[in-house]
Amino acid sequence: MSDLRDIDLIEDLRVRPAELSWLEFKKDNVDPDVIGKRCSALANAARIDGQDCGYMLWGIDDATHEVVGTRFDPDGQRVGGQELQLWLAQQLQPSVAFTFRVIGHPEGRVVMLEVPAATSAPVAFKNIAYIRIGSTTPKLTEYPERYAKLIDSLRPYTWEHGIARQYVTGDDVLELLDYAQYFRYTKQPLPDNRAGIFERLLADRLIGKDVGQRWNITNLGALLFAARLEDFEASLSRKAVRLVVYDGRNRAATVTHRLDGKKGYACGFEGLVDYINDLVPHNEHIGRALRESRPLFPELAVRELVANALIHQDMTVTGAGPQIEIFEDRMEITNPGRPLIQAERMIDLPPRSRNEALASLMRRMGFCEEQGSGLDKVVAEVELYQLPPPLFREGDDSMQVVLYGPRTFANMTPDERIRACYQHAVLKFLSGGERMKNATLCERFGIDPRNASQASAVIKKAQHAGLIKVADPEHPRAGYVPIWA
């Protein structure tokens, strides 16, 4: 963090009309227990007041807010033989990533203690949580209304609203983000002045205000609209989409194409999907009257699954991003992080995303279906093409979807036939409570009705696997529904 930003931050804090619950000025009071209580109180008060951090500054007069300088040396301070900062870290629970910074302000030496707002639970010092009220630091439990407000305000860490680039100028924002694409995809007219541009970016939390009339670019803004992801930290740039195409059926085959995404997801999404569809082989399909060329994988399915991989990945998994691998007979789309719902229920249950702001904006821009209507359409497209059923597979720390190329019923594996039967029953049930029947499953597999016994055999195996059941036990021929229906 630059000294210039710290000086601007001090100036921003000094102009406040009085000390706030999350802000305190000191001259030279360096009592360790006082500092520990303040850490607890500032973290809790900052969360209640909607601030990212609380601050304690030494070298600022608490009455006039003038810079008077301080001799306090946080690095040299010791408590019972321990360094002050190590001692504080041991006394604060949950763990708090506080920092001390010594700032050479033009008017004197200032020491700043920055304490992040509480996130998962009230911050306690020596097992007691504190709060700031005026100039006092009472126990939080003595003020139940504030305790209740703090609990309501606590929320898990939201990766999208974290900071990708801090303390940048307006010119930097316009260079680092492809703001024109933001207005295009959100179908808003491009403002004719900078103030209007920043107002809209701020409203969607793609940027945030920093001190000294500068800006912060959020992870959401960078990941979606970065003109060049490499302009940001490696932890973010490594979340770029990677595409690998193999000339064969396994990873030992020759790699014919490799693409590492350079732009933010929104800026590069259309180009990526078009590029994939151009690379995918096409098969000749005989329709009712004409021959037509169809891609190996349905375009709608590819688009939806790529969007899902971007949206539902676990952003806290470092060094990994979505990966798309295309083989001779299948496409594998993998994203970091285990899914939040069971793989077999992904078709019917509404998606649960770790990244709600990202998901909402992607849907608003039309990159994916409305919530809860995506994967069922993928399966419907697969059925329309009479392809083997997609496989939803959980890894140790990843989620993978596999799309398969054309294969006849005879060439599908027993597991694929059972999975296709279950997915077909789910689609029928989602269509107004319809029931899967032998005839509908024959149509899904492309089985001649004269060979309907083949579909009957698959239905029996799906029942034995505990995936489907008879819809009405008193009328067994009425059809079948998913086991959870």
Side-chain angles (χ1 to χ4, degrees):
M1 185 173 297
S2 69
D3 290 340
L4 183 57
R5 182 188 182 274
D6 279 338
I7 292 171
D8 279 340
L9 177 56
I10 291 171
E11 294 306 294
D12 184 70
L13 297 174
R14 284 177 61 205
V15 299
R16 307 283 172 154
E19 284 189 353
L20 303 169
S21 62
W22 50 272
L23 171 64
E24 183 171 2
F25 299 120
K26 290 289 180 187
K27 289 186 179 179
D28 286 303
N29 188 334
V30 295
D31 181 274
D33 281 304
V34 170
I35 296 173
K37 291 179 181 179
R38 296 297 194 276
C39 282
S40 167
L42 293 171
N44 295 330
R47 174 55 61 217
I48 290 174
D49 287 353
Q51 299 294 316
D52 291 330
C53 297
Y55 298 93
M56 189 171 179
L57 289 89
W58 287 263
I60 308 289
D61 186 277
D62 60 356
T64 66
H65 296 189
E66 295 295 323
V67 178
V68 295
T70 183
R71 292 179 302 220
F72 174 39
D73 178 13
D75 292 331
Q77 192 82 8
R78 304 186 75 81
V79 184
Q82 275 190 313
E83 294 181 357
L84 171 64
Q85 297 185 52
L86 176 60
W87 179 81
L88 279 175
Q90 293 172 343
Q91 303 301 324
L92 293 169
Q93 295 295 332
S95 180
V96 180
F98 62 84
T99 58
F100 283 95
R101 297 199 293 277
V102 179
I103 301 145
H105 190 280
E107 298 175 26
R109 183 175 179 273
V110 175
V111 174
M112 177 187 295
L113 168 61
E114 183 177 82
V115 186
T119 53
S120 58
V123 174
F125 171 69
K126 293 184 176 179
N127 298 318
I128 298 175
Y130 294 89
I131 192 70
R132 285 279 291 169
I133 300 178
S135 59
T136 64
T137 310
K139 296 177 182 178
L140 179 60
T141 53
E142 295 175 358
Y143 292 84
E145 75 287 351
R146 292 181 185 250
Y147 180 84
K149 187 174 182 181
L150 173 60
I151 296 301
D152 287 342
S153 301
L154 290 173
R155 61 183 185 274
Y157 172 68
T158 303
W159 184 89
E160 298 123 302
H161 300 152
I163 298 174
R165 281 286 288 271
Q166 188 176 52
Y167 195 62
V168 296
T169 66
D171 287 342
D172 290 334
V173 170
L174 299 182
E175 181 179 350
L176 290 167
L177 299 184
D178 192 342
Y179 62 92
Q181 292 285 51
Y182 161 75
F183 285 98
R184 174 191 165 205
Y185 286 127
T186 57
K187 297 179 174 59
Q188 300 178 81
L190 180 64
D192 56 7
N193 58 74
R194 289 163 61 105
I197 293 173
F198 292 139
E199 180 183 12
R200 296 312 310 157
L201 297 179
L202 185 63
D204 269 326
R205 302 187 75 170
L206 305 180
I207 61 174
K209 289 184 178 179
D210 201 355
V211 296
Q213 297 184 328
R214 297 215 180 188
W215 301 91
N216 296 325
I217 297 176
T218 64
N219 288 330
L220 177 65
L223 194 65
L224 283 178
F225 295 104
R228 295 173 300 278
L229 281 170
E230 62 189 19
D231 290 339
F232 295 86
E233 294 291 335
S235 60
L236 190 139
S237 63
R238 285 176 182 165
K239 298 194 179 300
V241 182
R242 172 170 294 179
L243 171 67
V244 184
V245 183
Y246 300 92
D247 184 20
R249 298 192 175 191
N250 57 55
R251 292 176 181 83
T254 302
V255 174
T256 60
H257 297 82
R258 186 187 298 274
L259 177 68
D260 292 318
K262 302 295 184 184
K263 299 179 180 180
Y265 291 170
C267 299
F269 185 80
E270 295 290 355
L272 173 64
V273 173
D274 288 344
Y275 187 68
I276 292 172
N277 288 326
D278 287 343
L279 288 175
V280 168
H282 282 59
N283 284 344
E284 190 174 70
H285 171 76
I286 302 176
R288 291 185 177 180
L290 301 172
R291 291 178 180 268
E292 59 179 344
S293 179
R294 279 186 178 178
L296 203 62
F297 314 108
E299 293 184 9
L300 185 150
V302 171
R303 179 186 182 90
E304 188 66 28
L305 290 176
V306 170
N308 268 272
L310 303 183
I311 290 170
H312 297 300
Q313 64 180 300
D314 185 347
M315 299 297 183
T316 65
V317 177
T318 59
Q323 179 165 287
I324 303 162
E325 297 174 287
I326 302 176
F327 300 87
E328 186 180 278
D329 61 339
R330 70 191 186 280
M331 178 186 298
E332 297 182 1
I333 301 173
T334 309
N335 61 269
R338 292 177 65 88
L340 298 178
I341 58 176
Q342 294 176 307
E344 62 268 20
R345 298 301 302 276
M346 287 184 172
I347 310 171
D348 65 288
L349 290 179
R352 289 178 56 199
S353 177
R354 299 175 177 88
N355 314 299
E356 290 299 338
L358 176 66
S360 176
L361 194 49
M362 288 282 279
R363 283 192 290 267
R364 204 174 107 208
M365 294 187 294
F367 291 136
C368 54
E369 296 289 336
E370 289 301 315
Q371 186 161 344
S373 64
L375 293 183
D376 55 337
K377 292 189 176 180
V378 170
V379 176
E381 281 290 294
V382 166
E383 288 202 354
L384 181 64
Y385 277 57
Q386 291 184 338
L387 302 176
L391 173 63
F392 303 99
R393 181 162 56 198
E394 298 179 32
D396 291 337
D397 202 14
S398 64
M399 174 64 200
Q400 186 177 78
V401 181
V402 184
L403 277 180
Y404 295 96
R407 261 187 286 126
T408 63
F409 173 79
N411 291 322
M412 289 186 195
T413 67
D415 284 345
E416 287 174 340
R417 294 173 184 174
I418 293 171
R419 190 166 69 247
C421 177
Y422 168 71
Q423 292 180 1
H424 180 64
V426 172
L427 286 187
K428 284 295 182 183
F429 186 77
L430 294 178
S431 300
E434 292 183 27
R435 298 168 181 179
M436 177 186 73
K437 296 184 177 180
N438 186 292
T440 67
L441 190 60
C442 282
E443 184 179 356
R444 185 266 177 262
F445 281 127
I447 297 174
D448 189 311
R450 291 172 294 182
N451 298 321
S453 60
Q454 294 178 325
S456 299
V458 174
I459 289 172
K460 287 182 181 179
K461 289 180 180 179
Q463 284 181 282
H464 290 155
L467 296 175
I468 63 172
K469 64 183 179 181
V470 175
D472 184 353
E474 295 183 2
H475 302 87
R477 295 186 179 182
Y480 304 85
V481 294
I483 194 68
W484 42 259

